[in-house]
Amino acid sequence: MALAIVNSLFSDNIRLLKTEASKTAYQGVGVAIATIIVATCLVCYLGDNTISLEGLWVAQKHNPALWMLNLGPFVFGFWGQYSSSIMAYQAGAMIVDQTQELRIRADNLEKETAYVSTHDRLTDLPNRALFYDRVERAIISALRLGNQPQGLSILLVEIDNFKDIYDTLGRNSSDLILKQISNRLQGLSLETDGVAKIDGNVFGILLSEMDSSGWDEEFAQQILKAMEAPFLIDRLYVNIHPNVGIVHFPEHGQDVDTLVQRAGVALHIAQKSNKGYALYEQSFDKHTPLRLTLMSELRHAIGRDGLELFYQPQVSIQTGEICGAEALLRWNHPIHGFVSPEDFIPMAERNRMIKQLTQWVLHRAFRDCALWYKQGLQLKISVNLSARDLHDPELPDLISGIAVAAGIQPAWIMLEITEGSVMTEPESALVIIKRLNDMGYHFSMDDFGTGYSSLAYLKKLPLTELKIDKSFVMDIIANENDAAIVKATINLAHNLGLKVTAEGVESKAIMDRLTEYGCDIAQGYFLSKPISVQDFNQWVQEADWKIANRNIQL
Ligand code: C2E
Ligand code: CA
Ligand code: CA
């Protein structure tokens, strides 16, 4: 098929080029004929002093120079046709060569992009998306076997002390450890591509075709054994503490989400057991935090509007005006009641739901923001982005699409990011942040002071605002250290040309202290807790804080 296309492209090109080149040959023939006519007339005139048909005939008959000239059009015609064919053929071949080269390059680029989106950059192992895909395919082929589906096992391996290693040795060394772990796991795995890195320090292993029951537990023991030997990093011997959670298909779940979620529950139990591994049992659900069992329900909550977006007001400390609000997600679970975003956001991050969740929040927040502007209330709406969002190259286009649909200006929005979310893959995060900033979106560094602050990176990011974490702000009256940190952070931010928002403003005393320190914006329970849109509108009418535009109709 491809060959046929190339061939037809080739002959089309040649035909086109030949027509172009032939034109020049015809012109040559034309010039040669014109030369014969002029020369014959000249010979006739020089001989007879006049030009007559007879004279022309005689000139043509007796003048050998004219005979030579007469050959010109044939020579030009033949030579022109011949060389145009050769040239057209060569040029056509060159174009086809180049087209093929371009096609090969495009194919390679496509393959490279597909590889990057399905593999972990550090270890080259399949990433979460590819692992889920493989498990899904394995489930489908196991189910094809009818009543007696072939067994599969999923093992999750997590490094318990990874955070300590990261905090002590830093990113480069902990990356080296992850690479070595991945090598040891691959050495153990019987199937090529059976091992995947599905999260920062979590590996997934798919085992199919189990010969006998209990084999996967044996495999878990082998994993623990393989990880026993210390890892040599920068002349230091480092020990890791892995745990393994195991699930079986079909007993423990019929779909990849449920299976991985239950492997996570088993992993949680493994952390507490001294064996270091655990095979999932239903009774585990009672002993694990609620968040581990809620995953599939969250997906339904997004689909069925089980979520709500609350807003927490922000007030300008210097002018006393209500200047903005932070959008905060709420999930009111039909059975468990209110589930904290601190539980379900990390859960959604670990699964493939954060994109949907962020999309949902952006739709709501932009729609509400547009409505407030229409009503005359000019609020800057802050929206939280999570780590995974910042590594999604589609995010800028997604946001601009939602903004256009809602009819808002980018400058009305503040996107909140955290140090941690930027630092996981700083380069790619920076590209996305810069693109959004070029579109006119403002950025705020949330939870400032709690992460691995890197001033070098802070300077690289196009920030408008620093948000001091509530853990420092809440204690500034009682704790001198916290007061010093808050004061220094405000000065630092102002020196970098940034505004400062303090969250966790729980009392008038804190508000007064922040005024003294020159802080710009306050957010906290002293002003209001996060509330629904209706309550927010009422709060704006009744609060003691000023509204810039008095002609609002809420
Ligand atoms: P955050 O971004 O740091 O949000 C501020 C949190 O501090 C909110 O908790 C808010 O209710 C709480 N807070 C505000 N003022 C005070 C105060 O004066 N005292 C105390 N004790 N707490 C205060 P919330 O709503 O539970 O949210 C927790 C976290 O969940 C947020 O922390 C944010 O990281 C995440 N989150 C919430 N909504 C979203 C969302 O739409 N997307 C993403 N990616 N994350 C979200
Ligand atoms: Ca925030
Ligand atoms: Ca915060």
Side-chain angles (χ1 to χ4, degrees), residues 240-283:
I240 63 157
H241 307 147
N243 293 300
V244 185
I246 313 167
V247 278
H248 281 167
F249 166 83
E251 301 95 293
H252 301 143
Q254 301 280 330
D255 61 275
V256 56
D257 279 326
T258 312
L259 286 167
V260 175
Q261 175 232 319
R262 292 190 168 160
V265 170
L267 195 60
H268 179 79
I269 298 296
Q271 282 162 0
K272 298 194 168 157
S273 81
N274 43 20
K275 276 200 302 190
Y277 68 90
L279 175 65
Y280 173 81
E281 285 171 27
Q282 212 174 3
S283 61

Side-chain angles (χ1 to χ4, degrees), residues 2 24 147 155 182 205 225 296 373 427-428:
T24 321
N147 290 343
L155 284 77
S182 111
I205 300 172
K225 193 137 191 61
S296 44
Y373 266 77
E427 286 81 16
S428 61

Side-chain angles (χ1 to χ4, degrees), residues 416 446-447 467 469-470 503:
E416 294 195 5
D446 200 4
D447 302 342
K467 239 180 145 172
D469 191 62
K470 57 180 179 287
E503 61 177 25

